[in-house]
């Protein structure tokens, strides 16, 4: 038995064969349903591209046409809408009745007549009442002929105006409420609405919305329960750290820009909706509603496509930049780094053109933190980054000859939003001296976040340097291979050069201290507490624990402050799991804090085993139990979160402790079984107790394990259940819309 879609296709093909003269639609069914341009070929380019991407083909030569599912339905017959003729006849009869009523009601007070009709529940034609009002003022029937064309001029008199107000009120009582809305029951505009408003409303309504936009528009309403739920997930996770300015409502936006809400152009609405869809899309991906998240992301893409049809205006330029940033963050969450870098470049281009850069520092600081995560995943190696310069040229300089400030001259960077976007060093990721942190006019929260991003980049550079030294010690003869794996450019980076030039101010330790001081000032200024910035404090505590030198006077173990910081980080993540969805390396920091807890437990277990009686004090036992409980909880949480991520974004797969207790001489948690992250900075936490030879060998083994894991995940996705395959098809289909938007943007930038 054939499936439903195949049967429909066969039926359509049989119809075409039986009647070859039947006219077909110019676009295929898929393109018409998605409202995309169709070239009319058999198959069309969109269907062919989808088929090639799904089956990983480079050519469609030799493929049967029916395999593409590119169907051209018969064109519908054009003609008058059924029932429209009857409506016109009824309208003519109503006009004739109004004329008869006018002759019979001459000399009678129109207001009293309308009151009688309204209270009795009867109806009265509006034209008849207007004619009576005009006759009472001496205008007669001659004024009726020009009523439709010059309604405002005829009713300019004070007495007529007062009577018309009473007329409209009484019409509401008698069932004529459509007079107040400006639209009749048949969908035609009331003459009271005014010509200019009628034309503008019709122009906006003529712009049809794509399927995903129209289907999910109710989620953007302020009283939408599902929409508020998704926005809550976004605000408790991504925006908890970024703290971007709230998106204005249509009323607030019109008030700020002195625009009538009824006359708000469609491009402005699409820009605002693009940012709103971007927020709820991230909220959906945080809550693991993947299919809904992709549909909302697709709605964001369609809104931005409508925006770029016209030149972006300064009034909504910031919202467009925000929408591209949120869209890039969504792609980063999905592991699509190529599109992340492309949307990031487009966002930078819009930020460089803003006349009023208010709020730009918050986007730039958020972008710097998100870039620091990409900096880690690519191990600061720009050669491994995707090449997007051909399709999206680098942002041009727009400083307009402005002299550099004293801070910019001292630190060798730029502080203005336009200058930061145009800086050649910031085209793929923000690096060098922290530009937002150095800008004293930027918001305190943004400066603190940018300082943390700089500290993370500096730690990544130091990790590359340590791994290069360990590799040379393990294999002195393999200098060429080591230089190829860890190039010198990944050690002496732009960030490392800036830090070494001002090490007393820009070193990682001082950056974390400055970030904490700025966050305290922000909380004191805004009246917020630690509860409002838990994620921000968690990152600072993690960095403080990572950069602590340890107990140098004692045995070289963990200090009390370091143990407290590690427990604080893990407990905060356990109490607020949504903080793991921060855009950036927050999840990796929590994983590394958990690894340090493993080292701490292994050390405490070894010390207990080395005692003569094999027992520990009551306090040590209580501390060990507290750490063990925390470790088991955070490990479970990280394991759940790790399974939701693409393989390339996953941090360590942390092993569980031995349930029967470790054997003599074995650690409590065998970190040798850890599936290590691909970032060298994260690998250093696992290998901190290993010799250089063992560390180099385990780093190579981790690379092979990640490749095996990625291959297995890909095979499971292809051979998975119907839901997984449907999700993969949906993602492939929506990727075509992303590519269409990016191609459109690329052509605009090139022009």
């Amino acid at each position: 038995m054939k499936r439903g879609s195949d049967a429909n296709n066969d039926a359509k093909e049989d119809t075409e064969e039986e009647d070859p003269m039947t006219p077909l639609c110019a676009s295929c069914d898929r393109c018409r349903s998605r409202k995309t341009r169709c070239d009319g070929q058999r198959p069309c380019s969109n269907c062919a591209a989808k088929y090639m991407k799904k089956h990983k083909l480079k050519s469609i030569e030799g493929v049967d046409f029916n395999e593409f599912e590119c169907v051209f339905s018969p064109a519908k017959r054009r003609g008058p809408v059924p029932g429209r003729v009857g409506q016109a006849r009824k309208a003519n009869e109503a006009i004739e009745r109004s004329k008869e009523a006018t002759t019979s009601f001459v000399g009678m007070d129109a207001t009293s007549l309308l009151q009688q009709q309204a209270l009795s529940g009867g109806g009265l034609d509006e034209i008849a009442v207007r004619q009576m009002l005009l006759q009472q003022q001496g205008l007669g029937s001659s004024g009726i002929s020009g009523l439709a064309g010059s309604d405002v001029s005829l009713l300019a008199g004070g007495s007529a105006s007062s009577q018309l107000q009473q007329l409209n009120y009484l019409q509401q009582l008698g069932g004529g409420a459509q007079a107040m809305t400006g639209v009749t029951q048949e969908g035609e505009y009331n003459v009271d609405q005014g010509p200019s408003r009628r034309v503008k409303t019709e122009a906006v309504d003529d712009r049809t919305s794509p399927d995903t936009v129209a289907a999910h528009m109710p989620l953007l309403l302020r009283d939408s329960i599902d929409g508020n739920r998704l926005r809550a997930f976004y605000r408790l996770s991504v925006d908890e750290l970024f703290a971007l300015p709230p998106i204005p409502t249509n009323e607030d936006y019109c008030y700020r820009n002195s625009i009538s809400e009824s006359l708000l152009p469609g491009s402005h609405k699409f820009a605002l909706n693009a940012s709103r869809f971007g927020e709820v899309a991230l909220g959906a991906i945080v809550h693991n509603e993947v299919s809904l998240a992709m549909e909302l992301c697709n709605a964001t893409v369609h809104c931005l496509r409508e925006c770029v049809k016209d030149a972006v205006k300064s009034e909504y330029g910031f919202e467009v930049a925000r929408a591209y940033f949120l869209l890039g963050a969504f792609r980063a969450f999905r592991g699509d780094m190529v599109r992340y870098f492309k949307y990031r470049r487009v966002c930078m281009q819009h930020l460089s053109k803003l006349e009023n850069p208010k709020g730009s520092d918050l986007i730039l600081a958020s972008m710097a933190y998100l870039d620091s995560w990409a900096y880690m995943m690519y191990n600061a190696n720009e050669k491994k980054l995707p090449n997007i310069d051909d399709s999206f040229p680098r942002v041009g300089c727009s400083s307009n000859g402005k002299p550099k400030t004293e801070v910019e001259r001292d630190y060798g960077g730029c502080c203005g939003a336009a200058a930061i976007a145009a800086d050649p060093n910031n085209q793929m990721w923000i690096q060098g001296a922290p530009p937002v942190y150095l800008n004293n006019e930027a918001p305190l929260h943004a400066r603190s976040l940018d300082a943390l991003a700089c500290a993370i980049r500096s730690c990544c550079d130091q990790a590359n340097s340590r791994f290069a030294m360990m590799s040379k010690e393990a294999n002195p003869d393999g200098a060429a291979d080591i230089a190829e794996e860890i190039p010198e450019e990944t050690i002496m980076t732009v960030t490392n050069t800036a830090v070494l030039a001002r090490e007393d101010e820009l070193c990682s330790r001082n950056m974390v201290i400055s970030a904490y001081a700025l966050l305290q000032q922000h909380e004191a200024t805004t009246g917020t507490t630690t509860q409002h910035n838990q994620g921000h404090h968690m990152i600072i505590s993690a960095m403080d624990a990572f950069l602590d030198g340890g107990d140098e006077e004692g045995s070289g173990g963990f200090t009390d402050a370091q143990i407290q910081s590690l427990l604080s980080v893990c407990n905060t993540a356990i109490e607020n799991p949504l903080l793991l969805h921060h855009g950036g390396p927050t999840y990796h920091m929590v994983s590394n804090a958990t690894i340090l807890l493993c080292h701490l437990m292994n050390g405490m277990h070894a010390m207990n085993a080395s005692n003569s009686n094999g027992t520990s004090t009551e306090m040590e036992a209580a501390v060990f139990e507290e750490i063990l409980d925390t470790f088991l909880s955070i490990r479970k949480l990280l394991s759940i979160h790790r399974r939701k991520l693409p393989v390339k974004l996953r941090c360590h797969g942390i092993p569980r402790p031995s349930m029967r207790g470790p054997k003599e001489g074995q650690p409590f948690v065998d970190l040798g079984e850890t599936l290590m992250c691909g970032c060298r900075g994260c690998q250093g936490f696992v290998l901190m107790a290993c010799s250089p030879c063992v560390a180099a060998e385990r780093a190579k083994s981790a690379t092979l394990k990640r490749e095996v894991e990625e291959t297995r995940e890909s095979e499971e996705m292809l051979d998975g259940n119907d839901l997984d395959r449907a999700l993969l098809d949906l993602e492939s289909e929506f990727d075509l819309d992303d590519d269409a938007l990016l191609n459109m943007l690329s052509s605009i930038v090139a022009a």
Side-chain angles (χ1 to χ4, degrees):
M1 180 179 293
K2 294 184 178 181
R3 294 178 299 179
S5 59
D6 296 338
N8 294 336
N9 294 341
D10 294 342
K12 293 178 180 178
E13 292 174 4
D14 295 339
T15 303
E16 295 176 12
E17 292 175 0
E18 292 174 0
D19 189 3
M21 300 301 294
T22 301
L24 301 179
C25 294
S27 302
C28 70
D29 293 351
R30 178 183 284 118
C31 292
R32 285 195 298 119
S33 64
R34 297 175 55 77
K35 293 183 173 59
T36 55
R37 186 182 298 276
C38 182
D39 56 11
Q41 300 295 325
R42 305 296 181 89
C44 70
S45 58
N46 293 331
C47 294
K50 182 178 183 299
Y51 183 85
M52 288 191 294
K53 187 168 185 179
K54 180 178 179 181
H55 295 83
K56 299 181 180 180
L57 300 177
K58 296 183 179 180
S59 174
I60 60 174
E61 185 178 357
V63 181
D64 187 14
F65 172 74
N66 295 328
E67 297 292 334
F68 296 97
E69 299 181 358
C70 185
V71 180
F72 289 80
S73 299
K76 296 182 180 179
R77 182 180 64 86
R78 302 296 181 183
V81 179
R84 186 63 56 83
V85 177
Q87 293 177 4
R89 185 176 63 254
K90 292 179 181 179
N92 294 331
E93 293 176 356
I95 294 175
E96 294 296 333
R97 288 197 304 270
S98 66
K99 292 180 179 179
E100 296 175 0
T102 303
T103 57
S104 61
F105 294 142
V106 172
M108 187 175 181
D109 183 26
T111 305
S112 61
L113 175 63
L114 186 59
Q115 289 175 349
Q116 180 181 357
Q117 293 289 333
L119 296 176
S120 63
L124 184 64
D125 290 330
E126 183 182 352
I127 297 178
V129 178
R130 288 178 181 273
Q131 187 173 2
M132 284 187 293
L133 288 172
L134 296 173
Q135 286 177 347
Q136 289 180 5
Q137 299 181 49
L139 294 176
S141 60
S142 61
I144 296 296
S145 61
L147 181 61
S150 56
D151 176 54
V152 178
S153 62
L154 285 174
L155 300 178
S159 60
S161 176
S162 62
Q163 289 184 352
L164 278 178
Q165 291 178 1
Q166 190 173 6
L167 165 67
N168 290 333
Y169 174 71
L170 292 172
Q171 279 181 324
Q172 279 187 313
L173 297 178
Q178 67 271 18
M180 299 299 293
T181 62
V183 183
T184 63
Q185 293 179 353
E186 287 78 18
E188 299 175 356
Y189 288 92
N190 193 304
V191 291
D192 285 339
Q193 196 175 17
S196 61
R197 182 174 179 182
R198 289 198 303 272
V199 172
K200 192 64 183 178
T201 306
E202 291 168 0
V204 173
D205 291 342
D206 285 342
R207 301 184 71 171
T208 57
S209 299
D211 293 342
T212 52
V213 176
H216 298 296
M217 187 64 72
L219 293 177
L220 305 185
L221 300 177
R222 283 178 288 181
D223 58 350
S224 172
I225 297 177
D226 292 333
N228 290 330
R229 176 178 58 85
L230 295 176
R231 278 186 290 272
F233 282 119
Y234 163 76
R235 302 202 186 286
L236 292 174
S237 56
V238 180
D239 202 52
E240 196 273 347
L241 180 65
F242 292 167
L244 298 178
I247 302 173
T249 61
N250 288 357
E251 295 84 353
D252 294 339
Y253 178 82
C254 293
Y255 177 77
R256 294 177 189 176
N257 297 282
S258 302
I259 303 175
S260 175
E261 187 176 356
S262 60
L263 303 179
L264 185 63
S267 56
H268 296 241
K269 291 182 180 179
F270 280 116
L272 293 170
N273 289 338
S275 295
R276 294 164 185 158
F277 275 124
E279 286 187 349
V280 293
L282 287 172
I285 199 68
V286 166
H287 196 231
N288 202 31
E289 300 179 53
V290 182
S291 59
L292 175 61
M294 289 193 294
E295 292 180 7
L296 293 171
C297 175
N298 184 255
T300 307
V301 170
H302 281 296
C303 288
L304 290 173
R305 285 180 63 179
E306 296 296 329
C307 288
V308 300
K309 289 181 179 179
D310 305 321
V312 177
K313 304 295 177 54
S314 59
E315 291 86 352
Y316 58 88
F318 178 79
E319 296 303 328
V320 173
R322 185 215 301 261
Y324 280 117
F325 171 71
L326 295 177
L327 192 57
F330 182 90
R331 283 298 176 182
F333 277 35
R334 297 288 296 163
D336 189 352
M337 301 307 297
V338 176
R339 290 188 176 88
Y340 164 70
F341 285 113
K342 288 182 178 181
Y343 284 128
R344 178 194 178 280
R345 178 72 59 85
V346 178
C347 175
M348 290 291 244
Q349 290 173 345
H350 285 283
L351 290 177
S352 66
K353 298 175 183 178
L354 290 181
E355 298 178 0
N356 182 15
K358 183 179 180 181
S360 301
D361 292 319
L362 290 170
I363 292 184
L364 289 171
S366 304
M367 186 181 296
Y369 188 73
L370 195 57
D371 285 347
S372 68
W373 166 76
Y375 196 86
M376 290 171 50
M377 302 309 297
Y378 283 92
N379 291 309
N381 192 350
E382 294 189 355
K383 295 181 180 179
K384 294 184 178 180
L385 294 176
N387 183 16
I388 63 172
D389 293 340
D390 295 337
S391 54
F392 292 94
R394 295 180 172 239
V395 182
C397 181
S398 57
S399 60
N400 297 327
K402 293 182 180 179
K404 287 190 174 184
T405 62
E406 183 178 355
V407 174
E408 291 176 339
R409 289 193 298 269
D410 292 343
Y411 290 88
C414 304
C415 294
I420 295 173
D423 192 335
N425 295 325
N426 299 333
Q427 296 303 301
M428 295 304 292
W429 45 42
I430 294 178
Q431 54 182 333
V436 181
Y437 165 77
L438 297 176
N439 184 7
N440 294 327
E441 298 179 359
L444 297 173
H445 176 272
R447 295 179 63 194
S448 175
L449 188 59
D450 191 35
L452 291 173
C454 179
I456 294 170
R457 295 195 302 270
S458 181
C459 290
C460 186
D461 295 338
Q462 295 174 14
N464 288 334
S465 177
R466 288 196 299 270
F467 268 80
M469 293 176 60
M470 287 191 301
S471 299
K472 291 178 181 178
E473 292 181 14
N475 185 14
D477 299 331
D481 296 335
I482 296 173
E484 183 179 357
E485 183 180 359
I486 309 177
E488 184 67 22
E489 295 83 6
T490 63
I491 300 175
M492 291 304 299
T493 62
V494 178
T495 300
N496 197 16
T497 303
V499 170
L500 293 177
R502 307 291 293 251
E503 190 171 4
D504 54 338
E505 298 179 30
L506 300 181
C507 69
S508 300
R509 185 67 180 166
N510 290 341
M511 282 286 94
V512 174
I513 295 174
S514 299
Y516 180 64
L518 289 169
L519 183 58
Q520 286 184 316
Q521 294 179 26
H522 167 72
E523 292 175 347
T525 302
T526 58
T528 57
T529 62
T530 306
Q531 298 297 325
H532 294 84
N533 303 286
Q534 282 189 321
H536 206 136
H537 281 282
M538 183 180 71
I539 296 170
I540 292 175
S541 297
M543 293 296 295
D544 182 60
F546 297 161
L547 297 172
D548 196 316
D551 190 6
E552 298 178 357
E553 297 180 358
S555 59
F558 295 89
T559 63
D560 292 342
Q562 196 173 10
I563 295 173
Q564 290 179 1
S565 297
L566 292 175
L567 290 176
S568 174
V569 170
C570 295
N571 287 329
T572 302
I574 293 170
E575 295 172 1
N576 303 276
L578 293 178
L579 298 181
L580 295 176
H581 294 274
H582 277 173
T586 303
Y587 154 65
H588 293 261
M589 291 185 181
V590 178
S591 296
N592 292 324
T594 307
I595 291 294
L596 291 182
L597 286 184
C598 293
H599 286 293
L600 178 59
M601 288 191 297
N602 288 339
M604 296 180 68
H605 177 74
M607 290 180 61
N608 182 36
S610 62
N611 292 336
S612 58
N613 54 1
T615 60
S616 59
T617 63
E618 183 177 350
M619 178 171 247
E620 290 175 350
V623 172
F624 185 85
E625 290 179 0
E626 176 67 21
I627 296 174
L628 178 59
D629 291 342
T630 304
F631 169 75
L632 294 176
S633 300
I634 193 64
R635 180 191 173 276
K636 177 64 174 178
L637 185 63
L638 291 173
S639 298
I640 295 173
H641 183 77
R642 188 176 186 270
R643 286 196 294 266
K644 299 177 184 178
L645 300 176
V647 176
K648 65 178 70 174
L649 305 185
R650 294 176 181 176
C651 197
H652 310 301
I654 304 174
R656 61 171 57 92
S658 176
M659 303 305 297
R660 298 180 179 179
K663 298 180 181 179
E664 184 177 356
Q666 294 295 323
F668 186 75
V669 180
D670 188 6
L671 292 177
E673 302 296 327
T674 305
L675 296 175
M676 286 194 295
C677 176
C679 170
R680 295 192 186 99
C682 295
Q683 291 177 2
F685 289 92
V686 180
L687 304 175
M688 59 185 302
C690 300
S691 64
C693 296
V694 174
E697 186 64 28
R698 289 178 61 182
K700 293 180 180 179
S701 176
T703 303
L704 297 176
K705 288 182 179 179
R706 283 196 309 275
E707 293 176 355
V708 172
E709 186 180 15
E710 188 169 3
T711 303
R712 185 177 66 253
E713 290 284 340
S714 301
E715 293 176 353
E716 290 179 356
M717 181 64 70
L718 294 175
D719 300 334
N721 53 30
D722 294 339
L723 180 60
D724 292 337
R725 286 194 294 270
L727 197 61
L728 185 62
D729 292 341
L730 182 65
E731 184 175 12
S732 301
E733 191 172 353
F734 285 160
D735 285 347
L736 297 177
D737 291 329
D738 278 68
D739 294 337
L741 173 62
L742 291 170
N743 292 335
M744 187 183 301
L745 293 171
S746 178
S747 60
I748 292 174
V749 171

